[in-house]
Amino acid sequence: MTESTHHGQTQHGRPWVPWLVTALVVLMSGAVMYLAHQGTSRAEALAERSRQDAVDAANRARDAESARLQLEQKLAALEAERTRLATEKEQLSTEKDQLSQTVQEQEAELAKLKATYDDLEDKMKAEIAEGAIRLSQAEGRIQVDLVDKVLFDSGDASISARGQEVLTRLGSVLAKVEDKSIQVSGHTDDSPPTQKLQSTFPSNWELSVARAVNVVRFLQETGGVPARRLVAAGYGQMRPVSSNATPQGRARNRRIEVLLMPDLPSKRTPPAAVRRALAGGTTPKAQAKPARGTK
């Protein structure tokens, strides 16, 4: 058998080889495509996972930022509350100190008031015992009521010898009082001045004012009471403390009241006639020594 014959037999004897090669190529192509598809799917999955992780990270970062802001707000609120409480504590401490100081001042004021009252009671005990002087204390004030016969002769505005002695003792106490205004007011009963006195005292107004002014001047000039603390006033019969229907009641209404009261913030200026009298200038008509009468 020749070589050509052998070759022809081989070709004709293996007809499946081309098909095998083709199948192998197709299989390999499919495998490559499958592997490529699997790689693409895996890459897409990885990419999707990366995107989701990024979204989750962004959400966590946003939540963390929100929590941080809330925490800052809570801290700011706590700091504001701490500041408020510290301020309130300081205010309470200040108010406590002020209240304590006020209580101490009030206690000191009450102590001084009591000392003045006790001093007056001691200096005037004889007149208090006989009912010629009444001493009272209320609401930070001390009032001394002196019936007119202790200081004046009947119908007279000039201070009697006994009156001078009484006012000297009274002035020795009042001169030591530093934080009170001292109002001296004259009062009468409802009987008008007698006809003999009306040229000097047309009404009870003039008589009550004249008596008050004379007491003020005596307390200033002889008793040493500072003039800036003294006030003179006359009320006539307008402020009775008893009924004018009986001699006893009229006797109580004819009086001089000396009222010690806390200083007012603004200084009051006394009437011009009283200022002149206190300054030793022109004596008002009501101060002229009157004739003796029934008052």
Side-chain angles (χ1 to χ4, degrees):
M1 184 178 295
T2 63
E3 184 179 349
S4 60
T5 302
H6 179 75
H7 178 72
Q9 289 177 350
T10 302
Q11 289 180 343
H12 289 283
R14 297 178 181 178
W16 48 268
V17 172
W19 292 104
L20 179 60
V21 173
T22 301
L24 289 174
V25 170
V26 170
L27 287 174
M28 291 179 65
S29 298
V32 170
M33 291 179 65
Y34 175 76
L35 292 174
H37 176 71
Q38 288 295 319
T40 301
S41 298
R42 187 175 299 171
E44 289 177 351
L46 289 174
E48 179 62 25
R49 183 177 298 173
S50 296
R51 285 195 296 272
Q52 187 60 44
D53 289 344
V55 171
D56 292 343
N59 289 337
R60 287 194 298 271
R62 185 175 63 251
D63 292 342
E65 179 64 15
S66 177
R68 185 186 67 80
L69 291 176
Q70 290 179 0
L71 182 58
E72 286 184 352
Q73 291 174 354
K74 289 180 180 179
L75 288 174
L78 288 174
E79 179 63 21
E81 180 67 10
R82 187 191 69 80
T83 302
R84 184 185 68 80
L85 291 175
T87 302
E88 287 185 354
K89 181 179 179 181
E90 184 177 355
Q91 290 176 345
L92 287 174
S93 178
T94 301
E95 290 175 358
K96 181 181 177 181
D97 292 342
Q98 291 175 345
L99 180 60
S100 176
Q101 181 179 354
T102 300
V103 170
Q104 291 176 1
E105 291 174 352
Q106 289 178 344
E107 289 177 348
E109 175 64 21
L110 289 174
K112 289 193 295 183
L113 197 67
K114 184 178 185 304
T116 300
Y117 185 91
D118 292 344
D119 200 2
L120 286 169
E121 194 173 40
D122 180 63
K123 293 290 193 302
M124 304 292 161
K125 58 186 176 183
E127 288 76 17
I128 293 173
E130 67 181 68
I133 290 179
R134 288 180 175 84
L135 192 60
S136 59
Q137 175 183 340
E139 298 180 354
R141 300 182 175 193
I142 294 176
Q143 181 170 318
V144 185
D145 292 343
L146 304 96
V147 296
D148 66 337
K149 66 180 181 179
V150 175
L151 304 178
F152 311 101
D153 293 327
S154 179
D156 196 348
S158 298
I159 300 171
S160 65
R162 183 189 180 191
Q164 291 180 18
E165 190 272 328
V166 169
L167 290 179
T168 298
R169 282 185 276 130
L170 178 63
S172 68
V173 178
L174 299 182
K176 296 182 291 186
V177 178
E178 298 178 351
D179 57 350
K180 294 287 188 294
S181 294
I182 302 170
Q183 176 177 297
V184 178
S185 57
H187 301 264
T188 67
D189 59 24
D190 62 352
S191 300
T194 63
Q195 187 174 4
K196 185 177 181 181
L197 294 176
Q198 286 181 2
S199 61
T200 304
F201 306 118
S203 71
N204 284 325
W205 289 110
E206 286 79 10
L207 177 59
S208 63
V209 169
R211 286 180 167 179
V213 168
N214 285 344
V215 171
V216 163
R217 290 193 65 177
F218 186 90
L219 290 175
Q220 176 200 351
E221 295 170 358
T222 305
V225 181
R228 68 180 181 279
R229 297 200 174 279
L230 292 165
V231 177
Y235 293 98
Q237 72 266 25
M238 299 305 170
R239 295 192 180 183
V241 293
S242 185
S243 170
N244 284 301
T246 64
Q248 294 80 8
R250 286 196 298 273
R252 283 201 61 194
N253 291 333
R254 297 191 301 269
R255 69 196 186 279
I256 289 289
E257 285 183 359
V258 179
L259 181 62
L260 283 70
M261 52 190 174
D263 278 334
L264 297 176
S266 59
K267 300 297 183 181
R268 294 185 296 176
T269 304
V274 176
R275 291 201 306 272
R276 288 196 300 271
L278 294 177
T282 304
T283 302
K285 182 178 179 181
Q287 275 195 266
K289 184 176 179 63
R292 301 184 182 275
T294 59
K295 284 287 181 182

